[in-house]
């Protein structure tokens, strides 16, 4: 089962690799890069393989980490207060 996490960002967008680190889904950029390039991350239901893909408030990012020994998560990106 995926954990649902709301991730506030202060700018108009955040790069996908940075988002995974900010949300605590991965420990570092190397892990984020590898998982993204392997197709383990979905953005709005579509596989995203670009670590630098721009994610904006209102978008949903799903990470199916169980196969990698990491938690699964659904990240909802929101604008910071």
């Amino acid at each position: 089962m995926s954990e649902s996490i709301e991730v506030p960002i202060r700018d108009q967008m955040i790069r996908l690799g940075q988002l995974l680190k900010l949300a605590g889904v991965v420990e570092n950029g190397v892990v984020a890069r590898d998982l993204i390039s392997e197709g383990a991350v979905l953005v709005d239901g579509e596989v995203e393989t670009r670590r630098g893909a721009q994610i904006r408030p209102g978008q949903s990012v799903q990470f199916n980490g169980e196969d990698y020994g990491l938690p699964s998560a659904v990240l909802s990106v929101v604008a910071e207060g």
Side-chain angles (χ1 to χ4, degrees):
M1 180 168 205
S2 296
E3 180 181 359
S4 182
I5 303 169
E6 196 169 87
V7 184
I9 61 171
R10 63 178 167 214
D11 296 319
Q12 293 182 355
M13 69 87 186
I14 188 170
R15 298 201 187 280
L16 182 56
Q18 293 172 326
L19 177 66
L20 294 178
K21 291 187 296 183
L22 177 65
V25 176
V26 298
E27 290 184 17
N28 58 53
V30 173
V31 174
R33 179 194 66 210
D34 292 346
L35 295 174
I36 293 166
S37 68
E38 290 175 12
V41 179
L42 304 178
V43 175
D44 293 334
E46 301 288 327
V47 172
E48 180 57 74
T49 57
R50 297 171 299 144
R51 180 178 68 175
Q54 296 182 358
I55 309 300
R56 292 178 168 70
Q59 288 191 286
S60 175
V61 175
Q62 183 175 358
F63 169 67
N64 185 15
E66 294 169 0
D67 294 342
Y68 306 96
L70 298 168
S72 293
V74 176
L75 310 176
S76 298
V77 182
V78 297
E80 189 171 78

